[in-house]
Amino acid sequence: MGLLDQAASDMAALYSLDEIGQAITYTPAGGTPISCTGIFTPGENLDDAQWKTALQASAILRVLKTDVPTWTQRDSVVIDTVTWEVVKAMSETPGDWKLELRRDVRPTFNR
């Protein structure tokens, strides 16, 4: 087994852990939705003082390249019924992507 195969195998083992990974739906722009597992890390929670000026929330998602071989801006990710948009790849390894996600929080404002 080569180094890249070993890294992919190690990442697959990590992502299968229920306490770390969670079910997501990744949809490439104009493509077919992919049900897979990812590691989702939300950004800081917005407090009430920030709600008046906040326009977006951010998060980080790690997904296996075997599940999501390529990514583009405007791909979408649904996590717990919330839709996020892929902004950029923050880094990559031979086995996974680390993607920055954003979502518009304006529709959730209460007046």
Side-chain angles (χ1 to χ4, degrees):
M1 179 182 299
L3 181 58
L4 293 179
D5 294 329
Q6 183 63 48
S9 174
D10 290 346
M11 290 305 295
L14 175 65
Y15 278 80
S16 67
L17 298 175
D18 290 335
E19 61 272 8
I20 295 175
Q22 66 187 91
I24 67 166
T25 302
Y26 190 100
T27 305
T32 304
I34 302 164
S35 294
C36 58
T37 300
I39 297 176
F40 176 75
T41 307
E44 293 183 25
N45 290 333
L46 300 173
D47 64 30
D48 290 341
Q50 293 172 312
W51 280 96
K52 293 177 183 168
T53 59
L55 300 177
Q56 298 179 0
S58 63
I60 304 298
L61 176 69
R62 293 186 88 90
V63 293
L64 290 173
K65 288 183 176 178
T66 54
D67 293 329
V68 179
T70 62
W71 70 274
T72 61
Q73 287 182 331
R74 309 285 185 221
D75 289 355
S76 65
V77 180
V78 177
I79 302 166
D80 291 333
T81 71
V82 176
T83 301
W84 296 81
E85 186 176 280
V86 176
V87 177
K88 66 180 179 180
M90 298 179 71
S91 66
E92 69 173 291
T93 69
D96 74 331
W97 299 106
K98 181 179 179 183
L99 302 173
E100 180 179 348
L101 307 178
R102 294 233 173 103
R103 71 181 177 97
D104 186 346
V105 295
R106 286 178 289 188
T108 64
F109 287 157
N110 293 320
R111 292 183 182 239

